[in-house]
Structure formats: C-alpha cells, structure tokens
Amino acid sequence: MSCILPASEAGIHPFYVSRLTVGKEAYRAARFQEAVDDLRIGCFGLLEQPPILLECTARLALAQKAAGRAASVDETLRRFNEIESRFGAWKQVDLELPIRADFVKLVKERKGFDALAAAISVPAVPSARTATPAPVITPNLRKKILG
C-alpha cells in the first residue's frame, strides 16, 4: 500500500503538478535550463508532500547539473538533505530507476554529502506500477513447504 496520494487527492494545486510534469518532459528533451525553471517552481508548491517534493528536488539537482550550474546543485542537495533528514521519505519517492540511479550517483560524486549518499543508497520500495506480483502458492507447493 502506497502512502503517496495522487496529486489531486493530496490537495496539491494542479499548477505545481503541471510544473513538475513539464520539468520532467523538458529534462527528457535535453532542455535543461527550462527543466530547472519549471522544477524549481514545482518544488515550491510541493512543500506539504515530502515524497513528491523529494522527487522534484532530485530531478531539479539533475537538471541543474546538466545545465552546468554546479553551485545550484550543491544548494539543492543541501535542501534535499534537510527534507530527507526531517521526513525520511526517500524510500517512498517514485522515480524511474535510471533517474534514481543518476541521482544517487550525483550525490556520491559531490563532496560533503557522504551521509546523504549512504542514506539514499538503500533500495527503494517498489511502486505499485513496478512491483512484481506475489507468487501463487498452490496446494502442492504449500504441502512441500509445510512438510
């Protein structure tokens, strides 16, 4: 069961959700400065939803790195660290595996973020859309397991 509500049910204004969505699309299209601008605005409106805020902040750091804004990356990682330290929501963040891996790699590459790197290197809880179904235990398998 996921603790993350859909944006509409979580009371998040659609404008901020749209900025997150547009920022993600801009990043995928290699329009990194546009992604930075949209994600920064999106993060502002997600303050009440730590898992979604962490997703947006992680994406923002990656976009800033791709846009060549090193000082901004460190500032964003400090903000990410503050949010994660306070809420411990990283495991609930629903990021695509390549993006999650890129973010963990980014944190490990930056100086002064060793504790954060250790904290976020823990595998994520799979989301409902990526979780594998539970195995089916047939009567024969049950007998075999129970003896």
Side-chain angles (χ1 to χ4, degrees):
M1 179 175 199
S2 176
C3 297
I4 304 172
L5 297 173
S8 59
E9 293 177 33
I12 301 170
H13 194 283
F15 172 76
Y16 297 108
V17 175
S18 73
R19 294 300 91 203
L20 172 59
T21 302
V22 170
K24 288 169 25 175
E25 291 168 2
Y27 183 83
R28 279 189 215 112
R31 296 188 315 267
F32 301 120
Q33 186 55 54
E34 181 183 329
V36 167
D37 295 340
D38 287 317
L39 291 168
R40 183 177 297 123
I41 294 167
C43 287
F44 178 78
L46 301 171
L47 296 174
E48 299 298 319
Q49 295 296 323
I52 302 171
L53 176 58
L54 284 174
E55 173 193 351
C56 190
T57 305
R59 291 178 186 280
L60 176 59
L62 289 170
Q64 289 169 326
K65 179 185 179 209
R69 301 181 66 186
S72 297
V73 172
D74 288 343
E75 179 182 321
T76 299
L77 291 179
R78 280 191 288 280
R79 205 167 332 130
F80 183 97
N81 191 37
E82 290 171 14
I83 299 161
E84 176 58 17
S85 296
R86 185 167 184 197
F87 298 103
W90 174 246
K91 291 181 183 178
Q92 300 169 20
V93 174
D94 190 21
L95 280 173
E96 306 89 320
L97 291 178
I99 297 292
R100 182 177 290 271
D102 288 348
F103 181 70
V104 170
K105 181 180 175 191
L106 172 65
V107 173
K108 288 180 177 180
E109 291 172 351
R110 305 305 278 202
K111 296 207 182 304
F113 294 101
D114 295 338
L116 177 59
I120 66 171
S121 293
V122 177
V125 175
S127 70
R129 63 189 162 127
T130 60
T132 56
V136 176
I137 300 178
T138 63
N140 289 337
L141 181 57
R142 183 182 174 115
K143 285 179 190 176
K144 189 176 184 179
I145 293 171
L146 297 176

